[in-house]
Amino acid sequence: MSTHHPEAPSQRRFAARPVSLLPIEALADRALSSDLLRSAVDLARWCGPVTPVDVDGVPDPQDVRTAIERCGLWPRALDRTPERRAAWADGITSATQAEDFLAAWRTAQHLGMIECETGQARPTPDLERWLDSPGRVLRWWTLAFHSCVEQSLRGIAGLEPQTTLARLYESPNGARVPLRLVTQEILPAREAHYLPARCPAWNSVRLTRALWRLSDTGAISLGWYGPRSDGAGARTPRAAPSWVQLTDLGRFGIRQILLAEEQSAPLTEEFVRLDADEFLDALADFSPDGQLVALTAWLDARSPEQALREIVTVSSGPGLALRRWNATMALGTISSRVEPQLYALLRSGDPTLAGLASVVLLASRMLSEPERARLTAQFGHWTAIDMFAAATCLGETGLKSFLVSEAAEGIDRFLLDDVTRLWRPEHPDTRSVLRLLGQHHPDPSIAARARAASAHAPPRAEGS
């Protein structure tokens, strides 16, 4: 009998996991250090006291070349030797040829750092005062980040931004997510339906270009697992990175997007104060990565004994199968530190709590083979029904997903090999589980056995 937990169905849309944020002053410092905001501020200062601009509010090519050299706005892929830089700059006849300059200039204008009127650009009079305000800096950065997200992920990669952002937001703090995994997770479904066979590689390139652009905001870091050089040993700035990492600033920015869309985006310090029932019920709404983060945060705020007491108090009784399912995940992380209390629950006389304790102990690998066999024989049928009942709480799709998952392997046959054990004692969800297994199990023979077991259920005791 498997003691793994079933995967949640991929079709579900998960709630954002709890996150911790740096203080506003630290976030503002990082925002000002990002390439995007630093370049915009540099250009705003450079254009003073006044700089002539055309009808589109853009300096002439000579001033563009001066600003690029002064502020270091060279293209990322350009060879950094002075000769190559000079040759490239001499070829500029319009600001549109200097993509990095123009992006930073438009950002400074959009954020109000630069004022343009009567053919002249100048830094806004309040620029230096505003730079000393962390709140103002973060508002600037958030606006620039939102704009860059749209331009890079939607404009360059042709992706729904939230798909990519959610993948990074759910990853544990500091995790370096392999770029190939991000590509596999967010591109295949789209490509399979809309793009010819030659396009997946092209779209991976577009995603990489989009992430390079997004890295200028300071929201993500890109890196390599090994040396990055060409055959001659020179660094290759445009080489495809190996991993992408969400920064503290990026986590703040994505949370602002979620809040603007009126989605739940809890902070860890708020989440850890939840009562055990709210905590366990919330776990069902997180992704697998989100569950890991939420479990760690909530349990770290309590002693193992306190966590066990709080969880046990809210996990007993009918109609709480999904909560107990989540409780086994929580208690599984502290099982070695509450082993005596778990054995005490086995003797509690409450089948819901005894079953809960048996699952945690079976998954802990602390038991000998005879002990495992004894617990499986004593509590196996009850806990099997409880697991199926929990899966049904996720809807028909959740049950079907569980039935074909590794977690369900062998449980159905174990359950139906000794039908008489189904009713000693009877789980309150036994009849509904058998009915649903009979309707939805992918193996016709097991579905038929479930229907037969349901048809021969003993009559309910009067008053039950």
Side-chain angles (χ1 to χ4, degrees):
M1 177 177 171
S2 173
T3 54
H4 293 86
H5 302 288
E7 296 282 340
S10 59
Q11 294 88 344
R12 295 179 63 211
R13 183 177 182 180
F14 296 106
R17 71 168 177 88
V19 298
S20 296
L21 299 178
L22 293 178
I24 185 173
E25 294 80 10
L27 289 170
D29 286 343
R30 298 189 182 198
L32 285 173
S33 298
S34 67
D35 289 344
L36 184 64
L37 222 55
R38 184 181 65 246
S39 298
V41 172
D42 287 347
L43 283 180
R45 286 168 168 162
W46 164 82
C47 76
V50 294
T51 295
V53 292
D54 60 21
V55 293
D56 294 320
V58 179
D60 64 39
Q62 181 58 46
D63 283 333
V64 169
R65 288 192 286 269
T66 300
I68 289 172
E69 187 169 354
R70 184 82 56 83
C71 301
L73 295 173
W74 305 100
R76 182 181 282 114
L78 181 67
D79 189 316
R80 298 306 173 95
T81 61
E83 297 78 12
R84 292 295 300 274
R85 285 182 170 180
W88 177 82
D90 288 342
I92 295 177
T93 60
S94 168
T96 57
Q97 296 172 274
E99 181 180 345
D100 293 324
F101 164 84
L102 194 58
W105 182 262
R106 292 302 191 199
T107 296
Q109 288 179 309
H110 176 64
L111 299 179
M113 298 178 183
I114 292 175
E115 296 178 347
C116 290
E117 55 185 16
T118 62
Q120 293 181 323
R122 59 176 58 83
T124 185
D126 293 319
L127 178 64
E128 298 304 326
R129 180 171 62 85
W130 285 346
L131 287 170
D132 288 332
S133 168
R136 167 71 71 164
V137 169
L138 285 181
R139 285 195 294 275
W140 275 343
W141 183 86
T142 300
L143 286 171
F145 174 64
H146 285 201
S147 177
C148 189
V149 163
E150 287 295 316
Q151 294 171 9
S152 58
L153 296 178
R154 196 187 301 278
I156 295 176
L159 295 170
E160 175 61 40
Q162 196 165 11
T163 305
T164 307
L165 298 180
R167 176 62 181 86
L168 298 176
Y169 197 79
E170 291 304 298
S171 59
N173 295 0
R176 293 179 173 181
V177 184
L179 194 59
R180 59 178 177 80
L181 292 184
V182 178
T183 303
Q184 290 169 2
E185 290 174 8
I186 67 178
L187 290 181
R190 180 177 179 274
E191 292 171 347
H193 292 90
Y194 304 112
L195 300 174
R198 66 179 178 82
C199 285
W202 168 238
N203 270 272
S204 297
V205 171
R206 288 170 58 184
L207 174 62
T208 301
R209 285 177 54 205
L211 292 176
W212 271 118
R213 176 72 64 83
L214 199 59
S215 70
D216 289 340
T217 68
I220 62 171
S221 296
L222 297 171
W224 294 260
Y225 291 122
R228 179 169 59 109
S229 64
D230 59 19
R235 292 173 65 84
T236 53
R238 281 293 183 181
S242 305
W243 50 259
V244 56
Q245 180 184 40
L246 186 68
T247 66
D248 291 303
L249 187 59
R251 187 165 290 107
F252 166 82
I254 296 176
R255 183 170 184 268
Q256 295 304 111
I257 291 178
L258 294 173
L259 293 176
E261 296 177 352
E262 298 184 347
Q263 296 187 37
S264 174
L267 293 173
T268 302
E269 52 266 34
E270 300 168 351
F271 184 81
V272 298
R273 292 196 292 267
L274 290 180
D275 292 336
D277 53 348
E278 295 176 288
F279 158 66
L280 294 172
D281 293 345
L283 283 180
D285 295 327
F286 297 138
S287 70
D289 281 344
Q291 288 177 340
L292 176 62
V293 173
L295 282 169
T296 302
W298 195 86
L299 292 170
D300 282 352
R302 293 156 177 79
S303 69
E305 295 76 14
Q306 179 187 359
L308 176 66
R309 286 194 302 271
E310 292 185 28
I311 289 172
V312 165
T313 300
V314 300
S315 298
S316 176
L320 299 176
L322 183 57
R323 184 180 294 176
R324 283 191 292 275
W325 181 351
N326 293 328
T328 62
M329 285 194 293
L331 295 179
T333 66
I334 58 172
S335 58
S336 62
R337 290 176 285 175
V338 291
E339 184 179 2
Q341 292 91 330
L342 291 172
Y343 276 105
L345 286 177
L346 292 177
R347 302 185 294 272
S348 68
D350 183 334
T352 56
L353 296 182
L356 170 62
S358 71
V359 172
V360 176
L361 288 168
L362 285 167
S364 70
R365 300 182 181 178
M366 295 187 296
L367 305 179
S368 65
E369 283 304 314
E371 287 177 311
R372 291 179 62 84
R374 180 178 61 81
L375 283 187
T376 300
Q378 186 174 359
F379 302 105
H381 281 73
W382 175 280
T383 56
I385 289 291
D386 218 38
M387 290 181 73
F388 281 119
T392 64
C393 292
L394 300 175
E396 182 179 317
T397 302
L399 176 61
K400 289 181 177 179
S401 178
F402 178 48
L403 290 175
V404 297
S405 70
E406 180 185 352
E409 185 178 351
I411 296 180
D412 41 18
R413 296 185 183 278
F414 169 84
L415 192 66
L416 298 169
D417 279 347
D418 186 359
V419 176
T420 58
R421 286 287 293 115
L422 288 173
W423 320 104
R424 301 200 310 265
E426 181 181 349
H427 191 293
D429 295 313
T430 298
R431 297 167 193 264
S432 62
V433 163
L434 290 175
R435 177 175 54 80
L436 290 170
L437 288 178
Q439 293 173 349
H440 300 297
H441 201 289
D443 186 329
S445 64
I446 295 180
R449 291 169 63 185
R451 288 193 296 271
S454 179
H456 293 89
R460 290 185 181 274
E462 187 173 344
S464 65

